Amino acid sequence: MAWKQGVDLANMVKEAKVWAKSGKVADYIPALAEANPDMLAVAIYQGTDHCFLAGNVEEKFTLQSISKVLSLVLVLMDLGEDVVFSKVGMEPTGDPFNSIAKLETNKPSKPLNPMINAGALAVTNMIQGSTTEERLHRLLRLVHQLTGNEKITFNEYVANSELETAYLNRSLAYFMKQHGVVEGDIEELLDLYTKQCAIEMNCMDLARIGYVLAHEGCDPITAKRIIPLHIARIVKTFMVTCGMYNASGEFAIRVGIPAKSGVSGGILGAIPHRSGIGIYSPALDEKGNSLAGIKLLEVMAERYQLSIF
Ligand code: GLN
């Protein structure tokens, strides 16, 4: 793999980095509060010969909400659209990612989409396997295929830190159990969900996942299909409509690419038929998106004409 330092990219990183000072690292998951807010890293994967990076690219981070894209791919591959969308909707929400409000007011009481916590819990509940370990292993196997990196695993410290404090996610899960959206043991579900969110990688790995999605599910080296075409399209569409939480509309206007962020400060981008982008900068804005990460994408979108619209 030929990763090169991008000179142009390094200048944009420098420009965007000042924004990190105005953001705040997530602290509702105690382990995430330990992140260094000054970090900013970007990787652009454009096929095996043209990959550019800049900033603190070796830094590893947990996927958090970005993992929602991967669990959705897995359950759609396992169970198909009809089953999956009988438990979770396809519509964006104007509410924060961890909100419980719409679960109560919507009839039937199913989560609006798979990119908010309630929807992601319903999706994780559908991952097939007889034990939590087997389910996680199947998800990790997909991650290994998408990244070409078999060493990727989850960060136990971050997973435990979230599991101990996930009162809101527990509430969402119990609420959905009452309404028949999720089934089984809720503590086991939370265990799997927090491990899924704690899957850890660097921005180069993340950019490669973006590339596979951008290229309709095909591996960049072997051209073998990892994700069926229609599933790659479904998840990219969710990334456009719901990927940046309740800032997805503004992001679509200012940047205009399918993207998914996580409260660790990661952003996954997939520019159809072009490239995959991985970004890391843990200082967040008030909606939970990486502040410098979004600023960097805005500059890149203008400079490289990234918008798909
Ligand atoms: N693990 C986090 C949570 O459930 C993920 C949320 C996020 O990244 N927005 O709260």
Side-chain angles (χ1 to χ4, degrees), residues 28-29 64-65 68 97 117 162 169 193 197 245 262-263:
Y28 76 98
I29 298 172
Q64 299 303 330
S65 274
K68 293 168 179 170
F97 64 84
N117 284 10
E162 181 171 12
N169 284 333
Y193 173 78
C197 288
Y245 319 125
V263 285

Side-chain angles (χ1 to χ4, degrees), residues 62 136 140 151-160 191 194-200:
T62 55
L136 182 68
L140 281 171
K151 292 202 197 96
I152 289 174
T153 182
F154 73 100
N155 180 320
E156 215 164 328
Y157 174 66
V158 175
N160 284 336
D191 185 31
T194 48
K195 285 176 175 152
Q196 162 195 319
C197 288
I199 294 175
E200 192 174 52

Side-chain angles (χ1 to χ4, degrees), residues 16-284:
K17 203 166 180 160
V18 295
W19 287 93
K21 303 238 176 304
S22 332
K24 212 173 146 296
V25 299
D27 56 7
Y28 76 98
I29 298 172
L32 295 184
E34 295 168 24
N36 177 350
D38 291 334
M39 295 282 145
L40 176 57
V42 58
I44 308 179
Y45 194 108
Q46 312 188 96
T48 47
D49 300 327
H50 303 285
C51 301
F52 293 98
L53 36 78
N56 313 97
V57 291
E58 300 295 337
E59 204 66 27
K60 282 189 186 171
F61 51 92
T62 55
L63 291 181
Q64 299 303 330
S65 274
I66 301 171
S67 70
K68 293 168 179 170
V69 171
L70 308 172
S71 52
L72 179 63
V73 166
L74 187 62
V75 298
L76 282 170
M77 284 169 67
D78 278 348
L79 301 170
E81 286 172 57
D82 291 352
V83 174
V84 172
F85 295 121
S86 70
K87 299 289 185 192
V88 61
M90 300 184 190
E91 301 305 331
T93 165
D95 299 329
F97 64 84
N98 53 8
S99 175
I100 200 164
K102 295 255 165 54
L103 274 185
E104 196 174 17
T105 53
N106 262 14
K107 295 283 173 264
S109 180
K110 80 177 182 187
L112 275 174
N113 71 68
M115 301 291 122
I116 50 174
N117 284 10
L121 284 158
V123 165
T124 299
N125 190 238
M126 288 185 267
I127 296 178
Q128 301 295 290
S130 47
T131 59
T132 300
E133 207 184 10
E134 190 190 336
R135 293 184 176 104
L136 182 68
H137 180 76
R138 295 190 60 245
L139 183 61
L140 281 171
R141 209 168 56 208
L142 174 67
V143 172
H144 296 163
Q145 284 180 298
L146 293 171
T147 56
N149 181 356
E150 303 244 322
K151 292 202 197 96
I152 289 174
T153 182
F154 73 100
N155 180 320
E156 215 164 328
Y157 174 66
V158 175
N160 284 336
S161 173
E162 181 171 12
L163 188 62
E164 282 165 15
T165 53
Y167 307 114
L168 203 43
N169 284 333
R170 271 188 183 83
S171 316
L172 293 169
Y174 277 109
F175 193 96
M176 290 190 289
K177 177 147 180 162
Q178 171 69 34
H179 292 278
V181 178
V182 302
E183 46 196 51
D185 187 282
I186 296 302
E187 276 312 306
E188 278 178 26
L189 171 59
L190 264 294
D191 185 31
L192 178 57
Y193 173 78
T194 48
K195 285 176 175 152
Q196 162 195 319
C197 288
I199 294 175
E200 192 174 52
M201 61 183 66
N202 63 30
C203 62
M204 293 174 273
D205 298 312
L206 195 58
R208 197 185 191 277
I209 296 179
Y211 183 92
V212 176
L213 290 172
H215 289 261
E216 304 190 327
C218 293
D219 185 280
I221 295 166
T222 62
K224 226 180 86 192
R225 195 170 284 287
I226 304 170
I227 304 172
L229 172 68
H230 72 286
I231 294 179
R233 285 194 181 151
I234 292 172
V235 299
K236 271 181 290 189
T237 312
F238 275 125
M239 287 164 75
V240 169
T241 56
C242 319
M244 306 300 282
Y245 319 125
N246 45 333
S248 298
E250 184 175 345
F251 184 83
I253 289 170
R254 295 196 193 283
V255 180
I257 63 168
K260 180 77 202 89
S261 67
V263 285
S264 53
I267 303 176
L268 161 70
I271 307 165
H273 311 293
R274 281 174 71 180
S275 46
I277 297 177
I279 285 184
Y280 173 60
S281 183
L284 309 178

